[in-house]
Amino acid sequence: MTHPRFLVLGANGQLGQRLTRRLGGLDLPVEVFAFTSSEVDIGQRSIVNEAIRSLRPDWVVNAAAFTAVDRCELEPDHAFRINALAVRWIVEAAAAVSGRVCNFSTDYVFDGHAAQPYREWDRVNPLGIYGRSKLGGEQELRAGFDLNIRTAWLMSASRGNIASTVVRLAREGAPLRFVGDQVGSPTVADDLSEAAVQLMLSSCTGCFHVVNGGVGSWYQVVQWILRLLGRDPGQVTEIEAISVADRYPAPRPSYSVLSTSSYVAATGRTTDDWHDALERMVRDLDHP
């Protein structure tokens, strides 16, 4: 009997790293193959096809994406190629070997006009190219067979995210100016990876929202990180809440909190509140 095979694409990203580690640490006989975006460029159909057809995985886990929201507005062709068309190619190749696809999408498929957490069946209406391209990727998945996981505000102990940036700026005594009028669901990559693995092991299909519990703005996230660092936000000079319009050129949903009730119903599991999740993550920043 062959062991289940998982192929992780985008293994160099903060989500891809955690997914690879979590799958490799399962107390189950599985095979895990992980490729960075430079090793397997999902923007090249022939390369995607060769990797998937040669390894014949049971699950192709697509953690690769073009996530630079503002750059997507300037490079729409590239955004749709990586976030949408590449998903078509992944699905084509997976179908040829009877494999399934686990894809990751975003809260940016919504316009932010809701007054309560978004459910999977709520109307999508992305405001910008990033959200539109990720929605395009969702539409390439096979109903009743593939898995789509929407998440939001992803953070990890890796470099290059808001948490590590706050730590660096706070230690340097640099000004802290973060958005206060955008509300969402902060999510730690370790928790998202655990949830994704559980959904795959449970053979779930369709769309699920997976984020950490609770609601916050980026400004509130920064305040919490400062407290975790032993700093009183009130005593930190030049910490300021600014508006999305003052900081970013591309449009963003002002409210994009995601409901995880479907994930809870399907798995019997819940995700930690984002305050607790960030506390674990910040501890790991000193020990990446």
Side-chain angles (χ1 to χ4, degrees):
M1 180 178 178
T2 59
H3 299 154
R5 286 189 165 195
F6 294 84
L7 170 58
V8 180
L9 301 175
N12 52 317
Q14 59 180 344
L15 176 57
Q17 291 176 20
R18 268 73 190 171
L19 282 164
T20 302
R21 183 184 306 170
R22 182 68 191 94
L23 287 166
L26 286 173
D27 189 23
L28 296 170
V30 300
E31 294 180 273
V32 182
F33 302 88
F35 294 98
T36 67
S37 295
S38 60
E39 292 170 330
V40 173
D41 178 2
I42 66 169
Q44 302 295 326
R45 182 173 182 263
S46 61
I47 294 175
V48 169
N49 193 56
E50 181 181 358
I52 294 175
R53 284 177 179 255
S54 63
L55 290 171
R56 304 184 66 86
D58 298 283
W59 280 98
V60 182
V61 187
N62 180 29
F66 184 34
T67 60
V69 177
D70 297 312
R71 281 183 57 199
C72 283
E73 297 295 317
L74 302 174
E75 304 173 43
D77 288 347
H78 184 62
F80 277 98
R81 183 183 184 95
I82 299 300
N83 295 337
L85 188 56
V87 179
R88 177 184 300 177
W89 297 336
I90 291 169
V91 170
E92 283 177 349
V97 297
S98 300
R100 299 171 64 184
V101 176
C102 174
N103 186 65
F104 292 89
S105 192
T106 174
D107 55 325
Y108 279 39
V109 299
F110 298 110
D111 59 20
H113 296 162
Q116 59 187 8
Y118 283 101
R119 296 181 182 273
E120 291 82 352
W121 301 273
D122 286 334
R123 186 176 71 91
V124 293
N125 185 34
L127 300 176
I129 297 297
Y130 172 63
R132 291 174 197 163
S133 65
K134 293 298 287 183
L135 179 59
E138 291 187 11
Q139 293 169 342
E140 297 296 337
L141 299 170
R142 296 162 291 178
F145 201 74
D146 293 324
L147 174 63
N148 185 62
I149 300 175
R150 291 185 185 138
T151 192
W153 297 29
L154 193 63
M155 292 171 279
S156 73
S158 303
R159 295 181 180 179
N161 63 85
I162 187 173
S164 59
T165 299
V166 169
V167 170
R168 176 177 57 80
L169 293 175
R171 287 172 176 167
E172 294 173 355
L176 298 173
R177 303 175 71 244
F178 286 90
V179 170
D181 62 351
Q182 183 184 12
V183 179
S185 304
T187 308
V188 170
D190 286 315
D191 292 18
L192 174 59
S193 299
E194 173 64 24
V197 170
Q198 292 304 318
L199 286 167
M200 286 187 284
L201 292 178
S202 300
S203 297
C204 289
T205 65
C207 184
F208 289 89
H209 290 173
V210 178
V211 292
N212 281 114
V215 178
S217 68
W218 285 118
Y219 179 72
Q220 290 171 321
V221 167
V222 171
Q223 287 184 310
W224 182 241
I225 291 172
L226 288 171
R227 290 192 177 96
L228 294 174
L229 293 171
R231 305 281 294 276
D232 180 356
Q235 300 301 314
V236 175
T237 59
E238 297 189 67
I239 177 171
E240 178 185 0
I242 60 175
S243 70
V244 170
D246 289 337
R247 183 66 178 266
Y248 300 112
R252 286 158 165 78
S254 59
Y255 177 92
S256 59
V257 180
L258 302 180
S259 169
T260 60
S261 58
S262 295
Y263 167 73
V264 175
T267 65
R269 292 168 171 253
T270 60
T271 54
D272 288 344
D273 182 88
W274 69 263
H275 295 84
D276 298 327
L278 258 67
E279 184 172 2
R280 286 187 279 103
M281 189 193 70
V282 169
R283 286 200 303 265
D284 290 341
L285 284 171
D286 293 327
H287 310 283

